[in-house]
Short mmCIF file of all heavy atoms in Angstrom, two decimals:
data_model
loop_
_atom_site.label_atom_id
_atom_site.label_comp_id
_atom_site.label_asym_id
_atom_site.label_seq_id
_atom_site.Cartn_x
_atom_site.Cartn_y
_atom_site.Cartn_z
N VAL A 202 -48.92 -24.91 50.82
CA VAL A 202 -50.17 -24.61 50.32
C VAL A 202 -50.29 -23.08 49.90
O VAL A 202 -50.86 -22.73 48.89
CB VAL A 202 -51.35 -25.02 51.15
CG1 VAL A 202 -52.69 -24.55 50.68
CG2 VAL A 202 -51.32 -26.56 51.31
N PRO A 207 -51.53 -18.37 46.33
CA PRO A 207 -51.29 -17.18 46.96
C PRO A 207 -52.40 -16.15 46.88
O PRO A 207 -52.32 -15.11 47.59
CB PRO A 207 -49.98 -16.63 46.28
CG PRO A 207 -50.08 -17.26 44.96
CD PRO A 207 -50.68 -18.61 45.09
N HIS A 230 -67.81 -33.53 78.63
CA HIS A 230 -68.61 -32.28 78.32
C HIS A 230 -69.88 -32.65 77.54
O HIS A 230 -69.91 -32.64 76.28
CB HIS A 230 -67.75 -31.26 77.55
CG HIS A 230 -66.61 -30.80 78.35
ND1 HIS A 230 -65.38 -31.44 78.36
CD2 HIS A 230 -66.44 -29.75 79.21
CE1 HIS A 230 -64.52 -30.82 79.09
NE2 HIS A 230 -65.18 -29.80 79.66
N SER A 232 -72.38 -31.05 76.86
CA SER A 232 -72.93 -30.01 75.98
C SER A 232 -72.11 -29.74 74.72
O SER A 232 -72.32 -28.74 74.07
CB SER A 232 -72.96 -28.66 76.75
OG SER A 232 -71.76 -28.35 77.36
N LEU A 237 -69.46 -27.12 70.10
CA LEU A 237 -68.53 -27.22 68.86
C LEU A 237 -69.17 -26.48 67.75
O LEU A 237 -68.41 -25.75 67.09
CB LEU A 237 -68.33 -28.68 68.58
CG LEU A 237 -67.48 -29.47 69.62
CD1 LEU A 237 -67.35 -30.92 69.23
CD2 LEU A 237 -66.19 -28.77 69.84
N GLY A 262 -57.80 -38.69 66.66
CA GLY A 262 -58.96 -38.29 67.44
C GLY A 262 -59.49 -36.97 67.05
O GLY A 262 -60.64 -36.64 67.57
N GLY A 263 -58.88 -36.25 66.22
CA GLY A 263 -59.39 -34.97 65.69
C GLY A 263 -60.68 -35.27 64.89
O GLY A 263 -61.47 -34.29 64.76
N SER A 265 -63.08 -36.96 65.80
CA SER A 265 -64.15 -36.96 66.78
C SER A 265 -64.71 -35.55 66.95
O SER A 265 -65.87 -35.36 67.17
CB SER A 265 -63.66 -37.48 68.09
OG SER A 265 -64.74 -37.54 69.05
N ALA A 278 -73.29 -26.27 57.74
CA ALA A 278 -73.32 -24.83 57.37
C ALA A 278 -72.84 -24.71 55.93
O ALA A 278 -71.95 -25.43 55.44
CB ALA A 278 -72.41 -24.04 58.28
N ASP A 320 -55.35 -50.90 58.69
CA ASP A 320 -54.91 -51.05 59.99
C ASP A 320 -55.53 -52.33 60.65
O ASP A 320 -55.16 -52.68 61.76
CB ASP A 320 -55.33 -49.85 60.89
CG ASP A 320 -56.80 -49.54 60.80
OD1 ASP A 320 -57.60 -50.21 60.14
OD2 ASP A 320 -57.25 -48.44 61.29
N VAL A 324 -50.67 -55.82 64.19
CA VAL A 324 -50.49 -56.26 65.59
C VAL A 324 -49.33 -55.54 66.21
O VAL A 324 -48.22 -55.48 65.61
CB VAL A 324 -50.27 -57.79 65.65
CG1 VAL A 324 -49.96 -58.26 67.05
CG2 VAL A 324 -51.49 -58.55 65.07
N GLU A 333 -61.99 -55.42 65.28
CA GLU A 333 -62.31 -55.86 63.95
C GLU A 333 -63.06 -54.76 63.17
O GLU A 333 -62.78 -54.65 61.93
CB GLU A 333 -63.17 -57.02 64.05
CG GLU A 333 -63.55 -57.66 62.67
CD GLU A 333 -64.33 -58.91 62.84
OE1 GLU A 333 -64.57 -59.44 63.99
OE2 GLU A 333 -64.87 -59.43 61.84
N TRP A 338 -59.86 -48.38 58.33
CA TRP A 338 -60.00 -49.28 57.13
C TRP A 338 -61.41 -49.74 57.10
O TRP A 338 -62.10 -49.56 56.01
CB TRP A 338 -59.05 -50.39 57.22
CG TRP A 338 -58.90 -51.22 55.97
CD1 TRP A 338 -59.45 -52.48 55.77
CD2 TRP A 338 -58.28 -50.85 54.74
NE1 TRP A 338 -59.15 -52.94 54.44
CE2 TRP A 338 -58.43 -51.93 53.87
CE3 TRP A 338 -57.64 -49.75 54.30
CZ2 TRP A 338 -57.98 -52.00 52.56
CZ3 TRP A 338 -57.14 -49.75 52.97
CH2 TRP A 338 -57.24 -50.86 52.16
N LEU A 362 -51.62 -47.74 46.55
CA LEU A 362 -52.70 -46.83 47.10
C LEU A 362 -53.92 -47.02 46.21
O LEU A 362 -53.91 -47.02 44.95
CB LEU A 362 -52.26 -45.38 46.94
CG LEU A 362 -53.13 -44.30 47.48
CD1 LEU A 362 -53.30 -44.33 49.01
CD2 LEU A 362 -52.61 -42.88 47.01
N GLN A 363 -55.05 -47.19 46.85
CA GLN A 363 -56.38 -47.20 46.19
C GLN A 363 -57.01 -45.84 46.35
O GLN A 363 -57.09 -45.29 47.40
CB GLN A 363 -57.25 -48.31 46.79
CG GLN A 363 -56.71 -49.71 46.64
CD GLN A 363 -57.73 -50.75 47.39
OE1 GLN A 363 -58.34 -50.39 48.33
NE2 GLN A 363 -57.76 -51.92 46.73
N ASN A 379 -51.41 -52.16 53.03
CA ASN A 379 -50.35 -52.38 54.09
C ASN A 379 -49.94 -53.79 54.19
O ASN A 379 -50.18 -54.47 55.17
CB ASN A 379 -51.01 -51.80 55.44
CG ASN A 379 -50.04 -51.85 56.56
OD1 ASN A 379 -48.78 -51.75 56.30
ND2 ASN A 379 -50.49 -51.80 57.74
N HIS A 386 -50.16 -44.78 60.60
CA HIS A 386 -51.18 -43.77 61.04
C HIS A 386 -50.76 -42.39 60.77
O HIS A 386 -51.55 -41.67 60.06
CB HIS A 386 -51.40 -44.02 62.50
CG HIS A 386 -52.45 -43.12 63.14
ND1 HIS A 386 -53.70 -42.96 62.68
CD2 HIS A 386 -52.36 -42.28 64.32
CE1 HIS A 386 -54.40 -42.16 63.45
NE2 HIS A 386 -53.63 -41.66 64.38
N ARG A 392 -46.60 -37.37 54.99
CA ARG A 392 -46.32 -37.50 53.52
C ARG A 392 -47.30 -36.70 52.71
O ARG A 392 -48.02 -37.26 51.90
CB ARG A 392 -46.21 -38.94 53.18
CG ARG A 392 -45.04 -39.67 53.83
CD ARG A 392 -44.75 -41.07 53.19
NE ARG A 392 -43.60 -41.59 53.83
CZ ARG A 392 -43.04 -42.76 53.39
NH1 ARG A 392 -43.62 -43.48 52.44
NH2 ARG A 392 -41.92 -43.26 53.95
N HIS A 397 -52.73 -32.43 50.49
CA HIS A 397 -53.58 -33.11 49.54
C HIS A 397 -55.07 -32.81 50.01
O HIS A 397 -55.89 -32.71 49.04
CB HIS A 397 -53.34 -34.56 49.51
CG HIS A 397 -53.70 -35.24 48.23
ND1 HIS A 397 -53.36 -34.69 46.97
CD2 HIS A 397 -54.31 -36.42 47.99
CE1 HIS A 397 -53.74 -35.47 45.99
NE2 HIS A 397 -54.37 -36.53 46.57
N TYR A 410 -45.82 -31.83 44.48
CA TYR A 410 -45.93 -32.79 45.62
C TYR A 410 -46.67 -33.97 45.11
O TYR A 410 -47.33 -34.00 44.04
CB TYR A 410 -46.66 -32.17 46.77
CG TYR A 410 -48.16 -32.20 46.58
CD1 TYR A 410 -48.96 -33.18 47.15
CD2 TYR A 410 -48.88 -31.21 45.77
CE1 TYR A 410 -50.40 -33.22 46.92
CE2 TYR A 410 -50.24 -31.28 45.62
CZ TYR A 410 -50.99 -32.26 46.16
OH TYR A 410 -52.34 -32.34 46.00
#
Side-chain angles (χ1 to χ4, degrees):
V202 171
H230 297 85
S232 56
L237 295 178
S265 183
D320 55 4
V324 175
E333 182 181 352
W338 186 255
L362 183 69
Q363 295 178 330
N379 189 18
H386 181 53
R392 295 191 173 185
H397 209 45
Y410 81 97

